[in-house]
Structure formats: structure tokens, C-alpha cells
Amino acid sequence: MAVSLQKGQKISLSKEAGGDLTQVKLGLGWDVAQGPQEKKGGFLGKLFGGGSGGDSIDLDASCIMFDSNKQAVDAIWFSQLKSKDGSIVHTGDNRTGDGDGDDEVINVDLSRIPANVVSLVFTVNSFTGQTFETVENAFCRIVNANNNQEVARYNLSAQGGHTAMVMAKVYRHNNEWKMHAIGETASGRTFHDLMPAITPHA
């Protein structure tokens, strides 16, 4: 049974998974906020038909790797879908938003994360600048890639005038990997714009 995280909560991934957890997937998704003429569907990535007047919406997930000095070591995002060391791979944009479930997935091999990297911070932002007022039912979840079992889920309820969110962190603590549900709103078109909001959580 997956843990349903509250904002600020921290958990041990291996304890929740019932054993060593090395291959994980961070799944991200949400729906277009319901308007009278809008159809509901899974929603992340480069999309059409969200917001008002049929404007396109481009939402993107990113993962930033940090060392113990809170310095960014690498970033995985739509312009770099794989970390330089190969331990993290972004599966790319969902361009249709069809269906339920994960709309973007970032695969992480925790056993291959370089020793100098202590935390992975996951963010999402609206590249085209629409606010999260057009989004509902947002979530991020950690899945054990070896058996496809969901380990933890964090439902992101914050709708509003922000264009980005610092969602969660996976980090080393006492030789194990833990997850911290952050859920802090921010503004920016790419993760570069978000770095002042991300770094305090690294």
C-alpha cells in the first residue's frame, strides 16, 4: 500500500518499499481544469487546448542534482533528457495528454547516482507562462521500477497564479534514500528561473 504524503512529510523509500530500492520512477501527472466545454484528460508536457481560448500549454518536469554544498551538479529536463552520468533518464514530453496516469516519467537508478550527489529535486513549470489555475488533480509519485509497485504519492492541490512548483526531493540520509514532499509554488518558464526557489530545498 503506497504512502500518501502530506506537504513537508519525509519517508524512507527502502522501508516503504519493503527492501532495497535502486530502480525508481518518478511519475508526474495532472488534469486540465474543468471548464464547460473542456474534456478531462491526463496532462503534462506539450499540450493543446488547455486554459482559455484554446491556448497551448507547455508544462515541463525537471530533476536537478545537488551536492552537499547545495551546488547544482547536473539537470535533467526537456533540453537534456539524460544526466551526464547516465543515472537519470527523462522519458520526454507527453504531447497529447491522452489517458490517465503518469504523463511524464523520470527514471532514476539510485545505485548509479554519483557519490558527490546528495539530493535530487523535482520541479514542474509552465514553459508558455499559463498559471496553475488551469491545472487540477496534480500529483507526483515514486514507483519501484523492479515490480511497478507505487511506493509513495504526493497529491499537489495548490491551484493559483503561480507558473511552477518545487514538488519533491529524493535525498541521501544515513546511507539510505528518503523522499521529502515539498510542494512549494514558484514562478518561471524553465528550471533555470526556479533556482532561487529550488536551492533552499536542496
Side-chain angles (χ1 to χ4, degrees):
M1 184 73 179
V3 175
S4 181
L5 297 175
Q6 304 299 313
K7 182 173 179 175
Q9 187 175 350
K10 300 176 182 179
I11 60 165
S12 163
L13 292 179
S14 59
K15 287 177 184 173
E16 298 303 338
D20 272 353
L21 194 63
T22 55
Q23 303 279 341
V24 300
K25 298 189 290 187
L26 185 98
L28 311 163
W30 50 63
D31 298 326
V32 179
Q34 290 298 283
Q37 304 299 322
E38 290 172 339
K39 290 184 178 179
K40 192 171 181 179
F43 186 80
L44 196 63
K46 290 175 171 52
L47 287 193
F48 59 89
S52 60
D55 294 338
S56 63
I57 296 179
D58 183 355
L59 293 173
D60 297 300
S62 306
C63 173
I64 301 90
M65 308 170 77
F66 286 94
D67 65 17
S68 59
N69 296 316
K70 295 195 174 189
Q71 296 297 307
V73 174
D74 202 355
I76 300 84
W77 60 307
F78 66 81
S79 285
Q80 182 186 309
L81 294 176
K82 189 175 184 178
S83 61
K84 295 181 180 72
D85 57 72
S87 63
I88 301 176
V89 179
H90 194 311
T91 59
D93 274 333
N94 177 324
R95 295 175 181 270
T96 67
D98 288 341
D100 296 321
D102 300 332
D103 295 308
E104 284 191 10
V105 176
I106 298 175
N107 293 298
V108 181
D109 185 343
L110 294 173
S111 67
R112 293 179 60 192
I113 301 290
N116 66 312
V117 173
V118 299
S119 66
L120 315 171
V121 179
F122 296 90
T123 67
V124 66
N125 53 272
S126 170
F127 184 73
T128 41
Q130 283 93 337
T131 71
F132 275 53
E133 289 166 334
T134 62
V135 172
E136 64 184 15
N137 302 326
F139 69 86
C140 65
R141 67 187 190 122
I142 291 280
V143 175
N144 183 342
N146 291 323
N147 59 14
N148 247 16
Q149 294 294 308
E150 183 175 301
V151 177
R153 175 180 289 255
Y154 179 34
N155 290 319
L156 309 165
S157 59
Q159 281 186 288
H162 53 286
T163 57
M165 181 174 284
V166 183
M167 290 186 301
K169 174 173 75 170
V170 172
Y171 64 102
R172 299 184 203 260
H173 181 71
N174 293 337
N175 297 315
E176 67 173 334
W177 288 98
K178 304 188 80 172
M179 181 179 180
H180 177 200
I182 298 172
E184 291 294 333
T185 60
S187 292
R189 295 176 65 242
T190 71
F191 81 87
H192 299 93
D193 301 329
L194 306 181
M195 289 305 288
I198 296 169
T199 302
H201 297 287

